[in-house]
Structures are given as C-alpha cells and as structure tokens.
Amino acid sequence: MSRLLLISGSLRGGSTNSAVLRTAAALAPAGIEAEIYDGMGRLPHFNPDDDPTDGIGLDAEVAAMRAALGEADALLLSTPEYAGALPGSFKNLLDWTVGGGQTYGMPVAWINVSGAAAPSGGADAHDSLRKVLGYTGSRIVEEACLRLPLSRGDVGEDGLIAPAAAREEIVAAVRALASAL
Ligand SMILES: Cc1cc2nc3c(=O)[nH]c(=O)nc-3n(C[C@H](O)[C@H](O)[C@H](O)COP(=O)(O)O)c2cc1C
C-alpha cells in the first residue's frame, strides 16, 4: 500500500486546487491510499523560536502536520498563484516542514490547475514551489507533475472535478507518483 498525502495551497471553500486533490483521493486506484491534509489554516505563523530542536512545546497543529507527513510515502500538492508567488498560508506550511525533516528524500509532485484567468499559468508560483521543495529536500517526480488548466465551472456539485478527461489525467498523475516509490 502506498500512502500519499495531498495538500492544497488554497484555503478557499470552493477551491479548484482542493477539488483536484479531493478527486485524486476519491479516484485513487487500488493499492494507493490518499489522505487529504486539511489543517493548513490552523497552523501558527512560522517562527524559528517556536520550533525547538527537541520538539518540546511544539504547537499541536504543527506536530499533527509533521506526523501526517511522517506517515506518508509521497506528497501531492496543488496550489494557486497569489500576487506572483505562492499563497502565504502555503509558504507558511512549507516553512514548518523544513525543521521537521519528514520531507527529506520524499517524492513529491504537483498538479497546476491555473486556467485562462492566469496569463502566466501560475509559472512564478510553481518556479518558487520547485525552489522551496529543493530546500525541504523533497524529490520532485517530474513525470507525475501535471499542468491541467481548469476553471471554477469544472468543479461539480459533489466537490469533485467533473470533466472525465481531467479526471483521467488526475488519476494518471496519482499512478505516476505512486510508481516512483
Ligand atoms: C489575491 C489574489 C491574487 C492572485 N494573483 C494571481 C497571480 O499572481 N497569478 C495568477 O495566475 N493568478 C492569480 N490569482 C488567481 C488565482 O490563482 C485563481 O483564482 C485560482 O483559481 C485560485 O485557486 P483556488 O480556486 O484553488 O482558490 C489571484 C487570486 C487572488 C485571490
């Protein structure tokens, strides 16, 4: 059994990025367990003073996030671009992963859903993501990274991505990431 942890960079209720990851979890093929991490909005602001090397006194939400990372074999991310960069909340989460060390050597991929409303296709955010993941020691699985332009209208009433072709691409990315383990 491969365990994937799915993390969305968006806190928005109707988020397209979160919908993609819900779809990945719902349609994950047999042998792949995909868990969605939903605590990003509860993480405190990263402060090195609050990240003791012995872990004593570490915030419970940070500890829970690191435990979820520790149980995962690989990470699948999906994030919007805000003002030419990663969303602050998501960068905050990534900053907390540096001291935890769980992501060192961990295979990671992302699905970039930036659509027609994003002329750059979210390129700055994803260039930045690549750089940050270098600092967290993750191993980017290029063949599992997917550029899948979507819009809010592609999210169905069930909260999943509706178009069948998009669903197939999402499942293929999940398979490619699991194959890299
Ligand atoms: C404050 C703000 C800033 C944004 N800045 C950018 C940007 O710099 N580049 C871009 O491509 N899209 C930008 N967008 C558009 C979002 O990336 C787009 O709405 C995306 O679908 C949001 O993801 P979500 O549906 O998962 O919440 C911005 C949106 C907001 C709310």
Side-chain angles (χ1 to χ4, degrees):
M1 177 69 72
S2 310
R3 289 181 57 105
L4 308 188
L5 189 66
L6 317 183
I7 304 180
S8 172
S10 175
L11 292 171
R12 197 170 67 81
S15 163
T16 316
N17 289 277
S18 301
V20 159
L21 296 181
R22 268 197 304 277
T23 307
L27 304 181
I32 302 174
E33 197 178 293
E35 186 199 337
I36 291 177
Y37 171 74
D38 67 355
M40 184 170 79
R42 299 190 297 271
L43 292 172
H45 293 160
F46 176 70
N47 180 342
D49 290 341
D50 298 333
D51 193 12
T53 46
D54 60 8
I56 295 173
L58 185 67
D59 178 271
E61 288 291 344
V62 176
M65 189 267 287
R66 288 179 176 175
L69 283 172
E71 287 170 13
D73 300 312
L75 268 183
L76 183 62
L77 310 173
S78 186
T79 182
E81 177 172 287
Y82 283 170
L86 291 172
S89 309
F90 186 48
K91 178 61 164 58
N92 184 57
L93 179 153
L94 293 169
D95 287 344
W96 276 117
T97 68
V98 175
Q102 292 82 8
T103 53
Y104 281 85
M106 184 180 277
V108 59
W110 59 76
I111 299 177
N112 176 358
V113 302
S114 301
S120 76
D124 288 327
H126 289 82
D127 285 351
S128 175
L129 181 60
R130 181 180 289 282
K131 190 172 186 177
V132 174
L133 292 173
Y135 284 100
T136 65
S138 310
R139 177 166 69 84
I140 296 170
V141 181
E142 302 288 350
E143 61 273 23
C145 291
L146 175 63
R147 175 85 180 93
L148 180 65
L150 293 171
S151 65
R152 292 180 185 188
D154 291 319
V155 182
E157 283 186 4
D158 58 359
L160 304 183
I161 298 300
R167 286 179 169 219
E168 279 173 28
E169 288 198 63
I170 294 165
V171 173
V174 168
R175 267 211 187 87
L177 181 55
S179 302
L181 294 176

mmCIF file of all heavy atoms in Angstrom, residues 8-19 78-85 113-115 117-124 150 152, ligand 1:
data_model
loop_
_atom_site.group_PDB
_atom_site.id
_atom_site.type_symbol
_atom_site.label_atom_id
_atom_site.label_comp_id
_atom_site.label_asym_id
_atom_site.label_seq_id
_atom_site.Cartn_x
_atom_site.Cartn_y
_atom_site.Cartn_z
ATOM 1 N N SER A 8 -3.446 21.037 -0.368
ATOM 2 C CA SER A 8 -3.857 22.149 -1.226
ATOM 3 C C SER A 8 -3.284 23.447 -0.681
ATOM 4 O O SER A 8 -3.272 23.679 0.533
ATOM 5 C CB SER A 8 -5.391 22.248 -1.260
ATOM 6 O OG SER A 8 -5.783 23.446 -1.941
ATOM 7 N N GLY A 9 -2.858 24.309 -1.598
ATOM 8 C CA GLY A 9 -2.328 25.617 -1.202
ATOM 9 C C GLY A 9 -3.405 26.655 -1.051
ATOM 10 O O GLY A 9 -3.109 27.819 -0.764
ATOM 11 N N SER A 10 -4.673 26.279 -1.235
ATOM 12 C CA SER A 10 -5.774 27.240 -1.160
ATOM 13 C C SER A 10 -6.666 26.943 0.038
ATOM 14 O O SER A 10 -7.027 25.793 0.283
ATOM 15 C CB SER A 10 -6.623 27.182 -2.435
ATOM 16 O OG SER A 10 -7.746 28.032 -2.327
ATOM 17 N N LEU A 11 -7.051 27.994 0.734
ATOM 18 C CA LEU A 11 -7.995 27.853 1.856
ATOM 19 C C LEU A 11 -9.423 28.157 1.416
ATOM 20 O O LEU A 11 -10.362 28.024 2.217
ATOM 21 C CB LEU A 11 -7.597 28.807 2.993
ATOM 22 C CG LEU A 11 -6.285 28.493 3.723
ATOM 23 C CD1 LEU A 11 -5.900 29.638 4.657
ATOM 24 C CD2 LEU A 11 -6.405 27.194 4.505
ATOM 25 N N ARG A 12 -9.613 28.572 0.174
ATOM 26 C CA ARG A 12 -10.941 28.989 -0.306
ATOM 27 C C ARG A 12 -11.907 27.797 -0.314
ATOM 28 O O ARG A 12 -11.547 26.707 -0.759
ATOM 29 C CB ARG A 12 -10.791 29.556 -1.717
ATOM 30 C CG ARG A 12 -11.951 30.397 -2.206
ATOM 31 C CD ARG A 12 -11.593 31.096 -3.503
ATOM 32 N NE ARG A 12 -11.418 30.167 -4.608
ATOM 33 C CZ ARG A 12 -12.393 29.653 -5.319
ATOM 34 N NH1 ARG A 12 -13.648 29.979 -5.034
ATOM 35 N NH2 ARG A 12 -12.154 28.824 -6.314
ATOM 36 N N GLY A 13 -13.116 28.033 0.155
ATOM 37 C CA GLY A 13 -14.099 26.956 0.258
ATOM 38 C C GLY A 13 -14.304 26.220 -1.054
ATOM 39 O O GLY A 13 -14.272 24.997 -1.101
ATOM 40 N N GLY A 14 -14.506 26.963 -2.148
ATOM 41 C CA GLY A 14 -14.779 26.320 -3.442
ATOM 42 C C GLY A 14 -13.535 26.120 -4.277
ATOM 43 O O GLY A 14 -13.615 26.060 -5.508
ATOM 44 N N SER A 15 -12.410 26.014 -3.635
ATOM 45 C CA SER A 15 -11.111 25.960 -4.330
ATOM 46 C C SER A 15 -11.029 24.877 -5.410
ATOM 47 O O SER A 15 -11.343 23.706 -5.168
ATOM 48 C CB SER A 15 -10.009 25.715 -3.301
ATOM 49 O OG SER A 15 -8.821 25.279 -3.928
ATOM 50 N N THR A 16 -10.551 25.283 -6.589
ATOM 51 C CA THR A 16 -10.321 24.332 -7.677
ATOM 52 C C THR A 16 -9.151 23.418 -7.330
ATOM 53 O O THR A 16 -9.170 22.222 -7.624
ATOM 54 C CB THR A 16 -10.003 25.101 -8.976
ATOM 55 O OG1 THR A 16 -10.908 26.192 -9.100
ATOM 56 C CG2 THR A 16 -10.136 24.210 -10.191
ATOM 57 N N ASN A 17 -8.123 23.991 -6.691
ATOM 58 C CA ASN A 17 -6.955 23.174 -6.310
ATOM 59 C C ASN A 17 -7.359 22.086 -5.312
ATOM 60 O O ASN A 17 -6.945 20.929 -5.439
ATOM 61 C CB ASN A 17 -5.862 24.076 -5.713
ATOM 62 C CG ASN A 17 -5.208 24.946 -6.768
ATOM 63 O OD1 ASN A 17 -4.311 24.514 -7.472
ATOM 64 N ND2 ASN A 17 -5.684 26.173 -6.915
ATOM 65 N N SER A 18 -8.189 22.469 -4.331
ATOM 66 C CA SER A 18 -8.634 21.472 -3.352
ATOM 67 C C SER A 18 -9.528 20.436 -4.021
ATOM 68 O O SER A 18 -9.472 19.245 -3.671
ATOM 69 C CB SER A 18 -9.391 22.155 -2.208
ATOM 70 O OG SER A 18 -8.569 23.106 -1.576
ATOM 71 N N ALA A 19 -10.333 20.874 -4.991
ATOM 72 C CA ALA A 19 -11.218 19.931 -5.701
ATOM 73 C C ALA A 19 -10.408 18.893 -6.464
ATOM 74 O O ALA A 19 -10.779 17.710 -6.525
ATOM 75 C CB ALA A 19 -12.139 20.696 -6.650
ATOM 76 N N SER A 78 -1.232 20.898 -4.771
ATOM 77 C CA SER A 78 -1.909 21.700 -5.792
ATOM 78 C C SER A 78 -2.132 23.075 -5.204
ATOM 79 O O SER A 78 -2.781 23.214 -4.163
ATOM 80 C CB SER A 78 -3.245 21.055 -6.191
ATOM 81 O OG SER A 78 -3.817 21.756 -7.278
ATOM 82 N N THR A 79 -1.580 24.083 -5.856
ATOM 83 C CA THR A 79 -1.641 25.422 -5.276
ATOM 84 C C THR A 79 -1.950 26.487 -6.313
ATOM 85 O O THR A 79 -1.487 26.394 -7.452
ATOM 86 C CB THR A 79 -0.302 25.779 -4.572
ATOM 87 O OG1 THR A 79 -0.410 27.085 -3.982
ATOM 88 C CG2 THR A 79 0.870 25.784 -5.545
ATOM 89 N N PRO A 80 -2.706 27.496 -5.925
ATOM 90 C CA PRO A 80 -2.868 28.651 -6.814
ATOM 91 C C PRO A 80 -1.642 29.558 -6.716
ATOM 92 O O PRO A 80 -0.777 29.353 -5.856
ATOM 93 C CB PRO A 80 -4.102 29.359 -6.256
ATOM 94 C CG PRO A 80 -4.160 28.988 -4.816
ATOM 95 C CD PRO A 80 -3.496 27.632 -4.694
ATOM 96 N N GLU A 81 -1.607 30.541 -7.612
ATOM 97 C CA GLU A 81 -0.611 31.618 -7.507
ATOM 98 C C GLU A 81 -1.333 32.847 -6.984
ATOM 99 O O GLU A 81 -2.409 33.184 -7.461
ATOM 100 C CB GLU A 81 -0.023 31.902 -8.893
ATOM 101 C CG GLU A 81 0.978 33.049 -8.910
ATOM 102 C CD GLU A 81 1.677 33.160 -10.257
ATOM 103 O OE1 GLU A 81 2.527 32.316 -10.561
ATOM 104 O OE2 GLU A 81 1.350 34.100 -11.019
ATOM 105 N N TYR A 82 -0.760 33.486 -5.989
ATOM 106 C CA TYR A 82 -1.296 34.750 -5.474
ATOM 107 C C TYR A 82 -0.224 35.823 -5.645
ATOM 108 O O TYR A 82 0.895 35.670 -5.123
ATOM 109 C CB TYR A 82 -1.625 34.651 -3.978
ATOM 110 C CG TYR A 82 -2.899 33.913 -3.617
ATOM 111 C CD1 TYR A 82 -3.159 33.594 -2.293
ATOM 112 C CD2 TYR A 82 -3.836 33.551 -4.577
ATOM 113 C CE1 TYR A 82 -4.323 32.930 -1.931
ATOM 114 C CE2 TYR A 82 -5.003 32.871 -4.223
ATOM 115 C CZ TYR A 82 -5.232 32.563 -2.897
ATOM 116 O OH TYR A 82 -6.384 31.900 -2.543
ATOM 117 N N ALA A 83 -0.594 36.899 -6.333
ATOM 118 C CA ALA A 83 0.319 38.045 -6.484
ATOM 119 C C ALA A 83 1.719 37.591 -6.900
ATOM 120 O O ALA A 83 2.729 38.021 -6.341
ATOM 121 C CB ALA A 83 0.369 38.858 -5.181
ATOM 122 N N GLY A 84 1.756 36.708 -7.890
ATOM 123 C CA GLY A 84 3.033 36.299 -8.473
ATOM 124 C C GLY A 84 3.865 35.370 -7.609
ATOM 125 O O GLY A 84 5.071 35.218 -7.854
ATOM 126 N N ALA A 85 3.250 34.738 -6.627
ATOM 127 C CA ALA A 85 4.036 33.890 -5.715
ATOM 128 C C ALA A 85 3.137 32.809 -5.112
ATOM 129 O O ALA A 85 1.944 32.730 -5.423
ATOM 130 C CB ALA A 85 4.643 34.749 -4.612
ATOM 131 N N VAL A 113 -3.397 23.816 -11.774
ATOM 132 C CA VAL A 113 -4.701 23.984 -12.444
ATOM 133 C C VAL A 113 -4.934 25.406 -12.938
ATOM 134 O O VAL A 113 -6.031 25.723 -13.392
ATOM 135 C CB VAL A 113 -5.869 23.583 -11.507
ATOM 136 C CG1 VAL A 113 -5.713 22.156 -11.038
ATOM 137 C CG2 VAL A 113 -5.999 24.534 -10.330
ATOM 138 N N SER A 114 -3.918 26.273 -12.850
ATOM 139 C CA SER A 114 -4.097 27.675 -13.263
ATOM 140 C C SER A 114 -4.701 27.716 -14.658
ATOM 141 O O SER A 114 -4.163 27.123 -15.593
ATOM 142 C CB SER A 114 -2.754 28.406 -13.250
ATOM 143 O OG SER A 114 -2.200 28.356 -11.955
ATOM 144 N N GLY A 115 -5.807 28.420 -14.774
ATOM 145 C CA GLY A 115 -6.553 28.407 -16.026
ATOM 146 C C GLY A 115 -6.408 29.681 -16.831
ATOM 147 O O GLY A 115 -5.420 30.407 -16.694
ATOM 148 N N ALA A 117 -7.719 32.484 -16.646
ATOM 149 C CA ALA A 117 -7.641 33.748 -15.918
ATOM 150 C C ALA A 117 -6.222 34.030 -15.432
ATOM 151 O O ALA A 117 -5.957 35.103 -14.891
ATOM 152 C CB ALA A 117 -8.588 33.709 -14.719
ATOM 153 N N ALA A 118 -5.335 33.077 -15.621
ATOM 154 C CA ALA A 118 -3.952 33.244 -15.156
ATOM 155 C C ALA A 118 -3.021 33.242 -16.360
ATOM 156 O O ALA A 118 -2.620 32.180 -16.834
ATOM 157 C CB ALA A 118 -3.582 32.102 -14.206
ATOM 158 N N PRO A 119 -2.698 34.445 -16.882
ATOM 159 C CA PRO A 119 -1.921 34.537 -18.126
ATOM 160 C C PRO A 119 -0.577 33.805 -18.053
ATOM 161 O O PRO A 119 -0.131 33.209 -19.024
ATOM 162 C CB PRO A 119 -1.696 36.043 -18.306
ATOM 163 C CG PRO A 119 -2.643 36.722 -17.369
ATOM 164 C CD PRO A 119 -3.015 35.754 -16.302
ATOM 165 N N SER A 120 0.045 33.803 -16.889
ATOM 166 C CA SER A 120 1.364 33.155 -16.768
ATOM 167 C C SER A 120 1.219 31.672 -16.475
ATOM 168 O O SER A 120 2.215 30.957 -16.379
ATOM 169 C CB SER A 120 2.171 33.816 -15.654
ATOM 170 O OG SER A 120 1.676 33.391 -14.394
ATOM 171 N N GLY A 121 -0.012 31.205 -16.284
ATOM 172 C CA GLY A 121 -0.216 29.795 -15.939
ATOM 173 C C GLY A 121 0.356 29.445 -14.574
ATOM 174 O O GLY A 121 0.743 28.307 -14.329
ATOM 175 N N GLY A 122 0.396 30.431 -13.702
ATOM 176 C CA GLY A 122 0.908 30.163 -12.351
ATOM 177 C C GLY A 122 2.393 29.842 -12.343
ATOM 178 O O GLY A 122 2.902 29.222 -11.406
ATOM 179 N N ALA A 123 3.096 30.284 -13.396
ATOM 180 C CA ALA A 123 4.509 29.888 -13.547
ATOM 181 C C ALA A 123 5.379 30.380 -12.399
ATOM 182 O O ALA A 123 6.261 29.648 -11.927
ATOM 183 C CB ALA A 123 5.059 30.402 -14.875
ATOM 184 N N ASP A 124 5.147 31.599 -11.942
ATOM 185 C CA ASP A 124 6.011 32.128 -10.863
ATOM 186 C C ASP A 124 5.838 31.316 -9.590
ATOM 187 O O ASP A 124 6.811 30.995 -8.904
ATOM 188 C CB ASP A 124 5.689 33.610 -10.601
ATOM 189 C CG ASP A 124 6.183 34.501 -11.723
ATOM 190 O OD1 ASP A 124 7.232 34.182 -12.322
ATOM 191 O OD2 ASP A 124 5.521 35.518 -12.011
ATOM 192 N N LEU A 150 -7.852 24.429 -15.380
ATOM 193 C CA LEU A 150 -9.257 24.207 -15.025
ATOM 194 C C LEU A 150 -9.864 25.527 -14.584
ATOM 195 O O LEU A 150 -9.147 26.476 -14.255
ATOM 196 C CB LEU A 150 -9.366 23.196 -13.872
ATOM 197 C CG LEU A 150 -8.939 21.752 -14.168
ATOM 198 C CD1 LEU A 150 -8.904 20.934 -12.878
ATOM 199 C CD2 LEU A 150 -9.868 21.102 -15.180
ATOM 200 N N ARG A 152 -13.386 27.338 -12.277
ATOM 201 C CA ARG A 152 -14.307 27.031 -11.174
ATOM 202 C C ARG A 152 -15.489 26.206 -11.661
ATOM 203 O O ARG A 152 -16.047 25.405 -10.923
ATOM 204 C CB ARG A 152 -14.785 28.322 -10.520
ATOM 205 C CG ARG A 152 -13.660 29.027 -9.796
ATOM 206 C CD ARG A 152 -14.112 30.321 -9.142
ATOM 207 N NE ARG A 152 -12.948 31.006 -8.558
ATOM 208 C CZ ARG A 152 -13.013 32.075 -7.801
ATOM 209 N NH1 ARG A 152 -14.182 32.629 -7.542
ATOM 210 N NH2 ARG A 152 -11.927 32.629 -7.312
HETATM 211 C C1 LIG B 1 -5.354 37.798 -4.074
HETATM 212 C C2 LIG B 1 -5.253 37.017 -5.352
HETATM 213 C C3 LIG B 1 -4.117 37.147 -6.134
HETATM 214 C C4 LIG B 1 -3.974 36.399 -7.302
HETATM 215 N N1 LIG B 1 -2.818 36.534 -8.012
HETATM 216 C C5 LIG B 1 -2.633 35.743 -9.095
HETATM 217 C C6 LIG B 1 -1.381 35.784 -9.793
HETATM 218 O O1 LIG B 1 -0.474 36.499 -9.453
HETATM 219 N N2 LIG B 1 -1.240 34.967 -10.849
HETATM 220 C C7 LIG B 1 -2.232 34.120 -11.254
HETATM 221 O O2 LIG B 1 -2.018 33.374 -12.211
HETATM 222 N N3 LIG B 1 -3.422 34.069 -10.623
HETATM 223 C C8 LIG B 1 -3.637 34.853 -9.546
HETATM 224 N N4 LIG B 1 -4.824 34.780 -8.868
HETATM 225 C C9 LIG B 1 -5.867 33.879 -9.350
HETATM 226 C C10 LIG B 1 -5.865 32.563 -8.611
HETATM 227 O O3 LIG B 1 -4.652 31.872 -8.802
HETATM 228 C C11 LIG B 1 -7.033 31.745 -9.134
HETATM 229 O O4 LIG B 1 -8.223 32.393 -8.747
HETATM 230 C C12 LIG B 1 -7.051 30.343 -8.614
HETATM 231 O O5 LIG B 1 -8.051 29.623 -9.275
HETATM 232 C C13 LIG B 1 -7.382 30.257 -7.160
HETATM 233 O O6 LIG B 1 -7.282 28.901 -6.768
HETATM 234 P P1 LIG B 1 -8.456 28.190 -5.962
HETATM 235 O O7 LIG B 1 -9.607 28.043 -6.905
HETATM 236 O O8 LIG B 1 -7.871 26.877 -5.618
HETATM 237 O O9 LIG B 1 -8.780 29.022 -4.775
HETATM 238 C C14 LIG B 1 -5.004 35.531 -7.713
HETATM 239 C C15 LIG B 1 -6.154 35.415 -6.909
HETATM 240 C C16 LIG B 1 -6.277 36.129 -5.744
HETATM 241 C C17 LIG B 1 -7.500 35.943 -4.882
#
